[in-house]
């Protein structure tokens, strides 16, 4: 795992990828800092931190696009998968490399905070909280990118889909506020979800039995829930979307609160996405 | 050493490998011979654990590769069809990385790389970027990669493809050399190449083993003397006239002659017959100068034609 991580980490700086990521991130965050704080004589650092969240949308796809898609394209996955290491070690190693580059870049922006602290009043607890939140949110976003790079055929589609996945999460709060809460549309939503999962199983196994079984089990679950726990259908869409509302959970960090619940959420979100990535790669060998 | 039972691989509806079974003993050098798309690479990918079989099992020394993948993979060195190289690394960095993922103990890595470099002859490109190397060097770096884990089994998928004749000879010598202390499975679609390196050949076609055995026996079996190429210093008519008296000839076809003022014909006779002596005396008695007489060697394509038309018979 360490070998995979080290190689991947070095690759970031042997190819343009790492420099483009770090350069873009620091350039744009520098703009935000210069215009928001320096030129405005403002020591309100939290607003700066909020605004660089927006950068993640563009920066994370750059960071993760090559990770697994390029291995497949160059056929180097044949080396990795026939070596005496596990798929988990490969995926986690790659994740850690991307996260490392991300963290280093993030740490550079602490210089801005130091500048604010010297020339003004830095809201220390908010800043520390926000940085912890940044790191966790970054980890979650990177895990999404890792998953997509495992599915994508090449770097471009990988970056493209990662961008849209992140954009979707970005707009999730809007989607949530307009989504209907009544039981009927919730049921339709649940049915669509079941169908989607069934289609996913079929696409991965090419067996009608597996896909059909998932659809039938899902349908039974929907009916049973209607009979015995109908209240679950009130606001179901909102509740499901809440699992993915990574940004909303960031708010408390920005206020200087580091809550165990949120930390656990981000870490388990990351772990689940990496786990699904491992399963997908292992599954592909059977296809 | 290696035992494969009823290996089957299906890609959607396409059957890439169809109930293949074979055993390879320790120290054997086996060649997979077959046209492109015959299932050679797929079989190798399953043997090395890159792909999983739809059905069937692979054992390395009685250990199922699915049960203890890490332990089994440590014993296999694999050179896939496309060498798995990272263009942005130098040869040294690359081999060091390979050693680490193959779990080579830290204090042995330098020695291992040193040996590998000398063995495959890439000492001079040691510090160059893999991406800038020629095809021949890349292939050799790929081969060095397969050797890094000090495996006792080598699986080499078309190890000489894309190399120039000199390099091909070097790699063949190297593989023959490796065959003395490794069990080697290699694939090729070039008959003479397998002939040079391997004692045992498995001819694979359409996902099945069409023939398994000693290469000399296989070609002897197939190349009987019922097809003879006759070259005469005469025109076509005289040649045909000369052949007319020979008993057993079923057909005479004109061929493109390589020589000037000569006629070359392909003479087909009844199966398992040898009419060469009769042809020679027929030409002599009619004073037609006979300048060439040889049994037509079965080319790989012909072997396949013969084998695929008689798969049932061979399989029994």
């Amino acid at each position: 795992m360490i070998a995979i991580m080290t190689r991947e980490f070095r690759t970031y700086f042997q190819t343009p990828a790492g420099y483009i990521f770090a350069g873009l991130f620091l350039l744009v965050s520098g703009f935000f800092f210069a215009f928001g704080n320096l030129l405005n004589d403002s020591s309100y650092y939290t607003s700066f931190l909020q605004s660089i969240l927006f950068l993640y949308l563009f920066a994370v796809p750059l960071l993760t696009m090559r990770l697994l898609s390029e291995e497949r394209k160059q056929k180097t996955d044949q080396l990795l998968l026939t070596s005496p290491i596990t798929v988990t070690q490969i995926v986690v190693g790659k994740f850690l490399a991307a996260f490392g580059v991300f963290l280093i870049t993030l740490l550079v922006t602490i210089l801005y905070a130091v500048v604010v602290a010297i020339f003004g009043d830095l809201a220390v607890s908010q800043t520390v909280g926000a940085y912890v939140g940044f790191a966790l949110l970054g980890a979650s976003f990177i895990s999404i990118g890792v998953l997509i790079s495992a599915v994508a055929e090449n770097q471009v589609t990988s970056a493209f889909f990662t961008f849209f996945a992140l954009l979707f999460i970005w707009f999730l709060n809007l989607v949530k506020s307009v989504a209907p809460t009544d039981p009927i549309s919730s049921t339709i939503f649940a049915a669509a979800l079941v169908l989607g999962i069934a289609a996913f199983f079929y696409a991965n196994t090419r067996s009608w039995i597996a896909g059909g079984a998932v659809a039938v089990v899902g349908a039974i679950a929907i009916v049973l829930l209607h009979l015995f726990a109908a209240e679950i259908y009130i606001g179901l869409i909102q509740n499901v979307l809440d699992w993915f509302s990574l940004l909303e959970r960031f708010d408390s960090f920005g206020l200087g609160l580091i809550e165990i619940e949120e930390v656990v959420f981000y870490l388990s979100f990351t772990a689940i996405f990496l786990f699904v990535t491992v399963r997908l790669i292992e599954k592909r060998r059977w296809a | 050493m290696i035992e494969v039972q009823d290996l089957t691989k299906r890609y959607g509806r396409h059957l890439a490998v169809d109930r293949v079974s074979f055993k390879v003993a320790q120290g054997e050098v086996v060649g997979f011979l077959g046209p492109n798309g015959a299932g050679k690479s797929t079989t190798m990918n399953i043997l090395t654990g890159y792909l999983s079989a739809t059905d069937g099992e692979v054992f390395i020394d009685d250990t199922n590769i699915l049960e203890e993948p890490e332990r089994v993979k440590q014993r296999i060195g694999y050179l896939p069809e496309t060498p798995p190289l990272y263009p942005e690394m130098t040869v040294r960095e690359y081999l060091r990385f390979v050693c680490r993922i193959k779990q080579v103990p830290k204090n042995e890595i330098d020695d291992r790389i040193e040996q590998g470099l000398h063995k495959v002859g890439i000492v001079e490109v040691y510090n160059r970027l893999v991406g800038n190397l020629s095809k021949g060097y890349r292939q050799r770096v790929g081969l060095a990669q397969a050797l890094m884990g000090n495996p006792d089994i080598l699986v080499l998928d078309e190890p000489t493809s894309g190399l120039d004749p000199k390099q091909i000879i070097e790699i063949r010598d190297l593989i023959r050399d490796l065959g003395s202390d490794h069990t080697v499975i290699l694939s090729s679609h070039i008959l003479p190449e397998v002939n040079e390196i391997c004692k045992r050949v498995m001819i694979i076609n359409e996902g099945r083993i069409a023939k398994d055995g000693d290469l000399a026996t296989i070609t002897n079996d197939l190349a009987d003397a019922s097809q003879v190429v006759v070259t005469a210093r005469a025109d076509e008519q005289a040649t045909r006239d000369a052949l007319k008296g020979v008993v057993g000839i079923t057909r005479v076809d004109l061929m493109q002659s390589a020589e000037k003022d000569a006629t070359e014909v392909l003479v087909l006779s009844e199966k398992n017959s040898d009419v060469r002596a009769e042809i020679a005396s027929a030409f002599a008695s009619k004073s037609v100068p006979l300048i060439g007489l040889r049994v037509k060697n079965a080319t790989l394509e012909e072997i396949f034609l013969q084998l695929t038309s008689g798969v049932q018979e061979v399989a029994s």
Side-chain angles (χ1 to χ4, degrees):
Chain A
M1 187 170 87
I2 291 165
I4 301 271
M5 185 186 78
T6 327
R7 195 202 71 78
E8 200 61 50
F9 189 79
R10 289 173 61 136
T11 305
Y12 275 118
F13 295 102
Q14 281 167 343
T15 58
Y19 297 103
I20 293 176
F21 168 80
L24 184 89
F25 195 92
L26 293 175
L27 177 75
V28 181
S29 65
F31 272 132
F32 279 128
F33 181 62
F35 289 113
N37 295 87
L38 292 182
L39 298 175
N40 270 343
D41 286 339
S42 161
S43 63
Y44 186 54
Y45 195 57
T46 323
S47 76
F48 162 75
L49 292 175
Q50 292 280 0
S51 64
I52 67 171
L53 264 184
F54 171 70
L55 262 174
Y56 277 38
L57 278 185
F58 303 94
V60 171
L62 280 177
L63 201 57
T64 59
M65 62 183 187
R66 309 190 346 278
L67 283 179
L68 292 155
S69 59
E70 194 68 4
E71 297 276 1
R72 209 139 67 91
K73 209 172 141 222
Q74 288 185 353
K75 313 249 182 201
T76 42
D77 60 335
Q78 290 194 317
L79 168 64
L80 300 184
L81 294 175
T82 58
S83 292
I85 47 173
T86 62
V87 180
T88 311
Q89 287 173 316
I90 298 171
V91 170
V92 173
K94 291 199 165 256
F95 166 80
L96 288 178
F99 187 61
V101 174
F102 168 81
L103 218 53
I104 289 171
T105 314
L106 192 63
L107 287 178
V108 174
T109 68
I110 286 186
L111 280 178
Y112 305 154
V114 173
V115 171
V116 172
I118 293 171
F119 297 103
D121 291 322
L122 181 71
V124 178
S125 60
Q126 273 108 313
T127 308
V128 171
Y131 271 102
V132 172
F134 266 152
L136 291 169
L137 187 65
S140 312
F141 277 13
I142 290 169
S143 70
I144 297 175
V146 169
L147 173 66
I148 291 175
S149 83
V151 189
E153 286 297 326
N154 59 50
Q155 296 190 38
V156 180
T157 47
S158 171
F160 186 78
F161 283 113
T162 307
F163 175 73
F164 276 99
L166 299 184
L167 196 67
F168 174 74
I169 287 171
W170 191 262
F171 286 120
L172 211 57
N173 287 349
L174 285 178
V175 176
K176 216 166 71 175
S177 64
V178 297
T181 56
D182 60 291
I184 294 173
S185 33
S186 294
T187 313
I188 294 170
F189 175 74
L193 214 59
V194 167
L195 274 182
I197 295 170
F200 177 80
F201 266 83
Y202 172 68
N204 271 295
T205 57
R206 296 269 159 220
S207 117
W208 287 108
I209 301 164
V214 171
V216 170
V217 170
I220 293 171
I222 290 174
V223 174
L224 283 180
L225 284 174
H226 256 296
L227 293 176
F228 299 107
E231 68 277 1
I232 204 171
Y233 285 102
I234 298 164
L236 176 74
I237 303 179
Q238 277 72 13
N239 290 333
V240 172
L241 292 183
D242 262 341
W243 296 340
F244 290 95
S245 66
L246 294 167
L247 288 170
E248 203 170 300
R249 288 172 190 267
F250 178 77
D251 291 346
S252 65
F253 289 98
L255 297 173
L257 301 170
I258 299 174
E259 291 183 58
I260 283 295
E261 187 197 331
E262 314 294 359
V263 174
V264 170
F265 169 81
Y266 281 124
L267 292 181
S268 37
F269 185 95
T270 309
I272 288 171
F273 268 74
L274 294 182
F275 175 73
V276 173
T277 310
V278 172
R279 300 303 309 165
L280 273 176
I281 294 174
E282 276 173 357
K283 183 135 254 167
R284 193 156 49 212
R285 301 158 81 175
W286 295 90
Chain B
M1 177 122 215
I2 304 172
E3 189 175 353
V4 173
Q5 287 174 358
D6 287 326
L7 202 67
T8 302
K9 181 72 182 178
R10 222 177 259 283
Y11 292 115
R13 285 208 187 83
H14 174 67
L15 196 57
V17 176
D18 186 8
R19 284 166 294 150
V20 163
S21 302
F22 59 85
K23 280 183 191 175
V24 178
Q26 180 148 13
E28 260 191 298
V29 179
V30 180
F32 282 179
L33 192 59
N36 294 324
K40 300 180 304 249
S41 294
T42 306
T43 308
M44 292 186 146
N45 276 334
I46 297 171
L47 281 181
T48 53
Y50 176 63
L51 291 176
S52 300
T54 314
D55 219 340
E57 276 162 334
V58 178
F59 297 93
I60 309 288
D61 275 347
D62 298 324
T63 313
N64 190 323
I65 53 165
L66 291 178
E67 273 156 23
E68 289 182 71
E70 273 82 56
R71 215 166 63 86
V72 171
K73 283 172 182 175
Q74 204 147 10
R75 303 187 45 194
I76 304 178
Y78 182 31
L79 171 64
E81 207 169 353
T82 320
L85 307 174
Y86 294 100
E88 72 278 0
M89 298 175 103
T90 65
V91 174
R92 186 176 62 96
E93 286 170 341
Y94 173 70
L95 292 180
R96 185 168 293 273
F97 169 67
V98 171
C99 281
R100 292 187 64 189
I101 62 171
K102 304 254 181 193
Q103 321 287 344
V104 176
K106 274 222 163 79
N107 52 357
E108 287 176 29
I109 289 182
D110 286 326
D111 289 347
R112 201 65 71 77
I113 293 177
E114 192 67 23
Q115 284 170 12
L117 290 172
H118 283 283
K119 222 171 208 172
V120 304
I122 49 173
V123 182
E124 63 274 24
V125 295
Y126 178 69
N127 266 321
R128 283 177 51 191
L129 284 181
V130 172
N132 295 339
L133 296 181
S134 68
K135 175 87 173 118
Y137 274 123
R138 284 186 202 204
Q139 195 74 21
R140 286 196 250 181
V141 175
L143 198 55
Q145 168 271 125
L147 296 173
M148 280 300 117
N150 220 0
D152 41 7
I153 301 169
L154 283 174
V155 179
L156 312 172
D157 197 351
E158 309 222 343
T160 58
S161 76
L163 302 184
D164 66 35
K166 184 169 165 280
Q167 293 167 332
I168 290 181
I169 291 166
E170 284 170 11
I171 294 281
R172 275 184 200 164
D173 288 345
L174 174 61
I175 295 172
R176 211 178 293 130
D177 190 36
L178 289 169
S180 60
D181 51 356
H182 292 79
T183 305
V184 183
I185 298 183
L186 66 90
S187 77
S188 176
H189 57 265
I190 307 159
L191 182 62
E193 175 167 303
V194 174
N195 199 7
E196 289 249 324
I197 310 173
C198 312
K199 282 210 184 69
R200 179 174 161 206
V201 174
M202 274 180 235
I203 295 181
I204 300 185
N205 191 44
E206 289 175 352
R208 293 194 206 168
I209 296 182
K211 199 111 187 171
D212 180 354
D214 200 42
L215 185 67
T217 333
I218 293 180
T219 34
N220 277 347
D221 279 1
L222 293 167
D224 63 65
S226 65
Q227 297 193 7
V228 180
V229 178
V230 176
T231 318
R233 178 118 24 234
D235 59 11
E236 191 193 343
Q237 198 49 50
T239 313
R240 281 184 187 276
D241 285 345
L243 287 166
K244 224 163 234 168
V246 182
V247 186
I249 292 181
T250 52
R251 228 173 91 191
V252 177
D253 288 333
L254 186 67
M255 290 171 74
Q256 191 74 39
S257 174
E259 240 179 301
K260 242 170 79 180
D261 308 324
T263 307
E264 198 164 270
V265 289
L266 177 65
V267 177
L268 304 180
S269 56
E270 280 149 15
K271 198 151 178 61
N272 298 326
S273 63
D274 188 349
V275 289
R276 282 176 294 179
E278 286 83 349
I279 292 175
S281 45
F283 274 82
S285 68
K286 292 192 179 152
S287 308
V288 181
L290 178 68
I291 57 171
L293 182 61
R294 64 181 165 89
V295 172
K296 188 165 184 285
N297 281 332
T299 64
L300 184 58
E301 291 73 19
E302 284 162 342
I303 292 182
F304 279 119
L305 277 177
Q306 295 193 33
L307 285 173
T308 47
S309 56
V311 164
Q312 285 83 358
E313 166 202 310
V314 169
S316 58

